[in-house]
Amino acid sequence: MRKIEKYVRALLFALLAGIFFTAKPVQAASAEIEIAADTKEVTAGDDFFVYIRITSDTMFGDFEANLTYDDEQIEYIDGASVITGSSGFLKISDFGLAEGNTNRKYTLKFHAVKPGTVEISFPGRAMVYDFETSDEMSVSSNVLTLEVKAAETASENAYLKSLKTSPSQLTPEFNKTVYEYSTEVASDISKLVIDALPEDEKATIKISGNDLLKEGENKIIVTVLAESGDVIEYTIKVMRAVAPESETPEEPTIAPGKSQSLFEVVRLDGEVYAVYSGKYKLVTPGSDVTVPEGFVKGEAILSDISVTAYFPEEFMENRNSDFYLIYAENEFGEKGFYLYDKIEKTLQRYAPENFKGSNAAGTEENESVQAKEYHANLTKAAVVIAILAVLIALLLFAFIRLYMKQKGYKEEDLD
């Protein structure tokens, strides 16, 4: 009988040891996303393909992410029906799959526009969901960098054919091989009219520093980009006269190239601008622009100027949201939605994954609390299992003693 008791104790020890040594935290499922192209180097004017591959050790279902790229260098042509968007921002929403899988591939077609280096990436969180549990998986992804080279026949001509300014004249007289000029304007002139014509019609021109000229010296840069990617810059130094003390400027003067931390809305030459670390012209979205999901068009008063704004649906009735969107064009001619923070008076480019509405501040804290509760529940479960195992062992031992008594063993034989 003592041998039987020894075996029972050994069995009980093994059972408890197995519970405590094999109990490990449940590891979240993970997935890896690879962005690749059919070539490492593309030529301006050519089409190429980009592949998005998702792999995982477990079955996954739904997938949602935002993909960004430089739309001045490459243009999105076509892709799967679950991919929407353009102008440097694509949204992938692949939901409702009948079957899960451990790998998936999406193909996107692009057109190379002009030479340079371009990156294609997921700037925010790419969300892959476990097919069985619908839980979000841990995801890692890469950044695809491509070199767009000029075509062999591309022109290298980045010269200007002519350069004129109004209401002032340039000094010296324009010559395409002279790259620095100067001019003077009166105190009431805040912007020059610049007429710049390239020698090669395929070259492109960008002018910077010409808005809101400040009193004193200003610098305007006329950049000419050749078809081949070659660049020539022409500099115009503008001296704006100082206004008399009795003269009150009609327009705000914001120095170009300097960061302004104070957000404000101003009206200049009949246009409305939002000024915050740069200048953004408020424009009306075209018919091809889709208002972000969850936002509704309305009106807001900023710096005593009525502007078109887009409010979260739940705050549309009383317009008391701390956040809303405006549609604007930046100094590079790029248009898009911008998120305005009414409390901190800040402005940033809108991306859905960066906006959580009025509950944004508590999201990370909630996730942390949920993680702690999850691990606490695991610990409780392990303790309950251990207690049940002990009870089962004790019941088993009592059953053996009862059985031995029925077989005629004496009490001293059972001890």
Side-chain angles (χ1 to χ4, degrees):
M1 186 60 198
R2 291 183 177 179
K3 290 185 178 180
I4 295 176
E5 184 178 349
K6 184 185 298 184
Y7 291 142
V8 171
R9 289 176 180 173
L11 177 62
L12 177 59
F13 177 80
L15 181 60
L16 292 176
I19 291 174
F20 286 107
F21 284 103
T22 59
K24 298 180 181 179
V26 177
Q27 300 295 323
S30 62
E32 181 178 353
I33 303 178
E34 179 189 15
I35 310 173
D38 58 348
T39 178
K40 292 185 178 179
E41 188 177 83
V42 296
T43 302
D46 290 348
D47 294 339
F48 64 98
F49 293 93
V50 171
Y51 306 110
I52 299 175
R53 297 184 178 91
I54 308 174
T55 57
S56 175
D57 293 334
T58 59
M59 301 281 280
F60 63 88
D62 296 341
F63 170 54
E64 182 177 22
N66 296 316
L67 191 72
T68 60
Y69 58 93
D70 187 346
D71 63 333
E72 289 190 355
Q73 291 186 262
I74 62 174
E75 178 184 10
Y76 175 64
I77 303 298
D78 193 20
S81 60
V82 298
I83 303 174
T84 57
S86 62
S87 303
F89 185 90
L90 300 178
K91 184 176 183 62
I92 306 175
S93 301
D94 196 2
F95 292 108
L97 281 76
E99 296 182 0
N101 45 37
T102 57
N103 61 80
R104 193 179 304 163
K105 177 180 177 182
Y106 302 90
T107 301
L108 297 80
K109 184 178 181 181
F110 286 88
H111 178 75
V113 178
K114 67 179 184 182
T117 302
V118 63
E119 290 186 349
I120 303 176
S121 65
F122 295 109
R125 197 170 77 220
M127 291 169 282
V128 180
Y129 297 93
D130 188 287
F131 183 74
E132 296 294 337
T133 65
S134 296
D135 291 337
E136 185 177 341
M137 303 170 73
S138 174
V139 177
S140 62
S141 63
N142 67 311
V143 176
L144 173 63
T145 303
L146 291 174
E147 289 295 331
V148 180
K149 65 178 184 179
E152 294 182 0
T153 58
S155 171
E156 298 178 352
N157 189 348
Y159 286 111
L160 283 178
K161 182 179 181 180
S162 65
L163 178 62
K164 299 177 182 179
T165 60
S166 178
S168 62
Q169 304 295 321
L170 294 177
T171 302
E173 185 177 347
F174 175 74
N175 183 308
K176 70 177 184 180
T177 59
V178 176
Y179 306 122
E180 292 191 3
Y181 299 87
S182 62
T183 190
E184 296 181 357
V185 296
S187 61
D188 61 343
I189 302 298
S190 61
K191 184 177 181 179
L192 290 178
V193 176
I194 299 177
D195 182 13
L197 183 66
E199 276 194 345
D200 184 355
E201 62 180 12
K202 293 184 178 180
T204 57
I205 293 176
K206 183 173 70 174
I207 300 174
S208 59
N210 187 37
D211 294 323
L212 298 172
L213 300 176
K214 71 179 188 297
E215 294 179 345
E217 184 176 277
N218 300 266
K219 184 180 291 187
I220 298 174
I221 306 296
V222 180
T223 304
V224 186
L225 176 65
E227 184 185 13
S228 64
D230 291 4
V231 174
I232 292 179
E233 290 185 346
Y234 293 86
T235 302
I236 305 173
K237 294 182 179 178
V238 183
M239 183 63 68
R240 180 182 177 182
V242 178
E245 292 184 4
S246 59
E247 183 178 337
T248 302
E250 297 180 358
E251 299 175 347
T253 55
I254 303 171
K258 292 186 178 180
S259 174
Q260 177 166 318
S261 59
L262 176 64
F263 176 90
E264 64 177 320
V265 173
V266 298
R267 192 183 300 276
L268 302 171
D269 300 328
E271 303 286 355
V272 177
Y273 294 86
V275 182
Y276 180 77
S277 298
K279 186 164 63 68
Y280 305 84
K281 182 170 71 174
L282 274 61
V283 296
T284 302
S287 57
D288 59 332
V289 176
T290 302
V291 176
E293 184 178 356
F295 287 87
V296 179
K297 182 179 179 181
E299 295 292 328
I301 303 298
L302 296 176
S303 302
D304 297 325
I305 297 177
S306 177
V307 301
T308 299
Y310 301 85
F311 296 86
E313 290 180 345
E314 62 268 30
F315 297 104
M316 182 58 191
E317 184 175 351
N318 51 22
R319 291 174 170 78
N320 65 351
S321 173
D322 292 341
F323 302 90
Y324 48 82
L325 302 180
I326 61 174
Y327 190 77
E329 177 181 332
N330 64 20
E331 295 171 314
F332 300 103
E334 301 168 337
K335 298 178 182 179
F337 286 97
Y338 290 83
L339 181 67
Y340 174 62
D341 185 333
K342 188 170 64 175
I343 302 300
E344 297 187 359
K345 297 190 183 313
T346 59
L347 190 71
Q348 64 176 349
R349 184 175 180 180
Y350 172 72
E353 69 276 4
N354 293 334
F355 177 72
K356 304 295 183 182
S358 58
N359 294 326
T363 299
E364 293 184 359
E365 182 179 352
N366 290 339
E367 291 179 350
S368 176
V369 170
Q370 291 175 358
K372 291 180 179 178
E373 290 179 352
Y374 174 74
H375 290 293
N377 289 336
L378 284 180
T379 303
K380 291 178 181 178
V383 172
V384 170
I385 292 173
I387 293 173
L388 290 175
V390 172
L391 291 175
I392 291 172
L394 292 176
L395 289 174
L396 179 61
F397 182 71
F399 174 78
I400 293 174
R401 288 178 63 89
L402 180 61
Y403 176 78
M404 297 302 292
K405 282 184 178 181
Q406 291 178 348
K407 291 295 184 180
Y409 286 91
K410 296 181 180 179
E411 188 66 31
E412 58 270 16
D413 295 330
L414 298 176
D415 293 330

